């Protein structure tokens, strides 16, 4: 019997080793990994620069409390501030914890209560993360929820502008909803969000936990859509697999997070910071990010071939975050793809989500497309 709580519907596969885009299971079967720990190992598995940085730090010092000055944290924070609309960074350990911090910061800085978020959003599994999430299934059985969260349909500017909530501390948004089905926000909706924030003097929180750290072809996805967030939450790809999260905020919010107002024991841990610095040194480079953009465009162009299949309704995405929406549930297709040697994920019942490493080879994209065309056109797959 397993002594683990059965919170995950696990696949019947155990990965023993992995390098770059490839993972090998305990039976020696090789997989092209377009999951990458769910947008975590953005540089692929076992990246030499990140490995080297962690190994070096391992022999120096792992952890000291946040009572000490910490140059590694300063360096990592500077990289995040230089590459975002924010100036100040708080390090934590996960995406949900970053969103928790973002919501606390917004409420404390504004002195206001309400947070507007969107249907089908996903912001994590803590109480604030669940409350912010616009999906009932995430909250079932865990009530009462944290108060003060209001949900508006996604990509519906009229519904947002008609929202009559007052005392709004912040609007919280994913630029491309990840877990909710790889849904990019549309331009008129984004304009309405910025106007709504201005009208209510509400802060804009952009949850870049899945879309950030180069995933969509820029350091953060909001850059491509003309937003100016006050707070950004990041995690997942930030440490290329080392658990770490960050709340990034504008300088004006600095007083709200004064000494003693927020904290976490492990936040900014030195091994995590070594991983973050090495990861960002590779990803936050113009050449690297423009390659991600061009590979993303290549992936989306190749997906047009998949779109021709009768079960496919739509293909969409931004950069190297893509979704294939089908006319039917995709669970059995995902299993069949895995058997063919391609690891992909669902996003909601009908969407296959692709999250290749940012340094994926075009030949690997071709291989994945070939597997998808083979499996998705196979009527024998039981659905
Ligand atoms: C957009 C978004 N926000 C928050 C989270 C929660 O992050 P974590 O699982 O690290 O707590 C996720 C995780 O999938 C996410 O995709």
């Amino acid at each position: 019997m397993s002594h683990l709580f059965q919170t995950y519907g696990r696949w019947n596969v155990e990965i023993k080793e992995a390098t770059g885009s490839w993972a090998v299971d305990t039976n020696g079967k090789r997989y092209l990994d377009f999951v990458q720990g769910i947008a975590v190992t953005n540089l692929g598995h076992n990246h030499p620069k990140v490995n080297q940085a962690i190994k070096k730090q391992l022999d120096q010092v792992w952890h000291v409390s946040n009572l000490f000055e910490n140059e590694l944290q300063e360096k990592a924070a500077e990289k995040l501030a230089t590459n975002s609309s924010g100036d100040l960074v708080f390090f934590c350990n996960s995406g949900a914890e970053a969103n928790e911090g973002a919501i606390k910061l917004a409420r404390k800085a504004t002195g206001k209560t309400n947070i507007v978020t969107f249907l089908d959003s996903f912001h994590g599994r803590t109480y604030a993360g669940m409350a912010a999430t616009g999906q009932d299934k995430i909250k079932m059985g865990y009530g009462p929820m944290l108060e003060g969260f209001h949900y508006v349909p996604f990509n519906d500017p009229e519904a947002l502008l008609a929202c009559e909530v007052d005392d709004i501390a912040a609007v919280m948004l994913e630029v491309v909803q990840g877990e909710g089905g790889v849904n990019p926000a549309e331009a008129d909706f984004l304009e309405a969000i910025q106007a709504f924030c201005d009208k209510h003097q509400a802060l804009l929180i952009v949850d870049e936990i899945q879309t950030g750290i180069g995933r969509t072809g820029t350091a953060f996805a909001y850059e491509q859509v003309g937003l100016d967030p006050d707070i950004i939450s990041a995690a997942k790809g930030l440490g290329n697999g080392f658990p770490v999260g960050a709340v990034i905020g504008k300088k004006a919010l600095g007083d709200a997070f004064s000494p003693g107002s927020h904290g976490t024991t492990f936040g900014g841990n030195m091994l995590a910071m070594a991983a973050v610095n090495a990861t960002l040194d590779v990803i936050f480079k113009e050449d690297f990010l423009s390659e991600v953009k061009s590979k993303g465009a290549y992936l989306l162009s190749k997906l047009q071939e998949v779109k021709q299949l009768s079960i496919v309704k739509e293909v969409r995405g931004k950069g190297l975050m893509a979704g294939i929406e089908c006319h039917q549930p995709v669970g059995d297709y995902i299993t069949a793809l895995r058997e063919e040697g391609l690891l992909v994920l669902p996003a909601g019942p009908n969407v296959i989500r692709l999250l290749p490493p940012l340094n994926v080879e075009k030949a690997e994209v071709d291989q994945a497309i070939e597997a998808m065309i083979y499996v998705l056109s196979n009527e024998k797959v039981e659905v």
Side-chain angles (χ1 to χ4, degrees), residues 10 41 61 73 75 79 88-89 96-98 118 147 151 156 179 234-235 323 330 342 347 349 359:
R10 292 181 195 270
T41 41
V61 48
Q73 283 187 24
K75 281 189 176 157
K79 285 168 198 166
L88 300 170
V89 179
E97 200 187 336
F118 298 97
E147 287 176 14
Y151 314 97
D156 188 340
E179 304 303 306
V330 294
L342 175 66
N359 46 14

Side-chain angles (χ1 to χ4, degrees), residues 38 40 93-99 121-126 133 172 174 176-179 207-211 233 235-236 244 321 353:
I38 316 188
V40 168
N93 309 288
S94 71
E97 200 187 336
N99 282 341
S121 60
F122 181 76
H123 298 294
R125 304 282 191 158
T126 59
T133 293
M172 188 165 185
E174 289 162 272
V176 183
Q177 289 187 331
E179 304 303 306
D207 177 341
E208 292 267 6
I209 287 159
Q210 191 156 153
T211 49
S233 51
K236 285 196 182 282
V244 58
M321 177 174 183
R353 182 172 24 159

Side-chain angles (χ1 to χ4, degrees), residues 7-311:
T7 47
Y8 306 104
R10 292 181 195 270
W11 299 336
N12 190 17
V13 173
E14 185 167 354
I15 300 299
K16 184 180 69 179
E17 56 187 47
T19 304
S21 305
W22 294 89
V24 182
D25 74 11
T26 42
N27 298 317
K29 183 175 165 73
R30 283 182 89 224
Y31 301 88
L32 181 53
D33 185 357
F34 275 28
V35 174
Q36 292 293 335
I38 316 188
V40 168
T41 41
N42 279 1
L43 288 173
H45 298 285
N46 223 342
H47 191 274
K49 289 210 168 127
V50 184
N51 281 12
Q52 218 174 26
I54 294 177
K55 280 179 187 157
K56 183 168 167 242
Q57 193 59 41
L58 198 64
D59 288 330
Q60 289 180 2
V61 48
W62 292 21
H63 178 86
V64 295
S65 84
N66 281 310
L67 296 169
F68 291 91
E69 298 287 349
N70 192 321
E71 196 192 346
L72 288 172
Q73 283 187 24
E74 295 287 351
K75 281 189 176 157
E78 188 188 349
K79 285 168 198 166
L80 289 169
T82 309
N83 288 281
S84 75
S85 60
D87 309 286
L88 300 170
V89 179
F90 174 86
F91 285 110
C92 54
N93 309 288
S94 71
E97 200 187 336
N99 282 341
E100 196 81 19
I103 290 162
K104 284 178 73 176
L105 179 59
R107 282 186 168 171
K108 186 130 188 283
T110 59
K112 298 197 270 183
T113 305
N114 289 316
I115 311 282
V116 171
T117 75
F118 298 97
L119 294 180
D120 294 328
S121 60
F122 181 76
H123 298 294
R125 304 282 191 158
T126 59
Y127 269 91
M130 276 195 297
T133 293
Q135 300 185 52
D136 289 343
K137 67 173 192 223
I138 301 293
K139 309 175 196 190
M140 231 174 329
Y142 293 116
M145 285 291 123
L146 197 60
E147 287 176 14
F149 290 80
H150 304 269
Y151 314 97
V152 171
F154 190 70
N155 272 338
D156 188 340
E158 278 92 48
L160 177 63
L161 296 174
C163 168
E164 284 185 354
V165 175
D166 57 11
D167 196 37
I168 300 175
V171 174
M172 188 165 185
L173 165 82
E174 289 162 272
V175 173
V176 183
Q177 289 187 331
E179 304 303 306
V182 191
N183 306 317
E186 288 160 10
D188 57 346
F189 178 58
L190 292 163
E191 255 171 56
I193 289 175
Q194 196 75 66
F196 183 85
C197 286
D198 294 346
K199 177 175 153 205
H200 288 271
Q201 298 202 317
L203 301 178
L204 176 60
I205 304 173
V206 177
D207 177 341
E208 292 267 6
I209 287 159
Q210 191 156 153
T211 49
I213 320 298
R215 173 57 53 192
T216 68
T218 45
F220 297 99
Y222 74 80
E223 292 168 50
Q224 295 173 52
V225 297
L227 292 176
D228 182 26
D230 301 284
I231 302 174
I232 301 154
S233 51
K236 285 196 182 282
L238 184 56
N240 208 54
F242 206 99
V244 58
V247 183
I248 307 164
K250 290 203 174 200
K251 196 163 48 190
L253 307 175
D255 287 348
F257 267 3
S258 55
S261 59
H262 190 50
T264 172
T265 298
F266 289 121
N269 167 281
M270 285 167 143
L271 291 176
M273 291 300 103
V276 171
N277 278 302
T279 302
L280 298 187
D281 282 347
V282 178
I283 294 181
F284 285 178
K285 288 253 164 58
E286 226 168 272
D287 289 357
F288 184 89
L289 290 169
S290 72
E291 270 288 289
V292 176
K293 264 198 190 135
S294 101
K295 284 174 181 169
Y298 183 72
L299 172 63
L300 279 177
S301 76
K302 294 293 286 181
L303 281 171
Q304 298 309 313
E305 296 171 26
V306 177
K307 196 180 164 191
Q308 306 310 315
L309 304 174
S310 60
I311 73 152

Side-chain angles (χ1 to χ4, degrees), residues 294-371:
S294 101
K295 284 174 181 169
Y298 183 72
L299 172 63
L300 279 177
S301 76
K302 294 293 286 181
L303 281 171
Q304 298 309 313
E305 296 171 26
V306 177
K307 196 180 164 191
Q308 306 310 315
L309 304 174
S310 60
I311 73 152
V312 177
K313 188 172 165 201
E314 193 186 33
V315 297
R316 53 182 181 252
K318 200 181 255 308
L320 285 168
M321 177 174 183
I324 303 163
E325 182 170 357
C326 295
H327 292 290
Q328 58 208 65
V330 294
D332 290 338
Y333 287 105
I334 285 172
T335 306
L337 284 164
R338 193 160 60 243
E339 281 159 10
E340 280 305 308
L342 175 66
L343 302 178
V344 293
L345 273 177
N350 289 6
V351 177
I352 298 173
R353 182 172 24 159
L354 311 177
L355 297 163
L358 305 185
N359 46 14
V360 66
E361 300 287 340
K362 283 187 176 168
E364 292 167 341
V365 170
D366 293 345
Q367 217 171 319
I369 297 289
E370 215 172 282

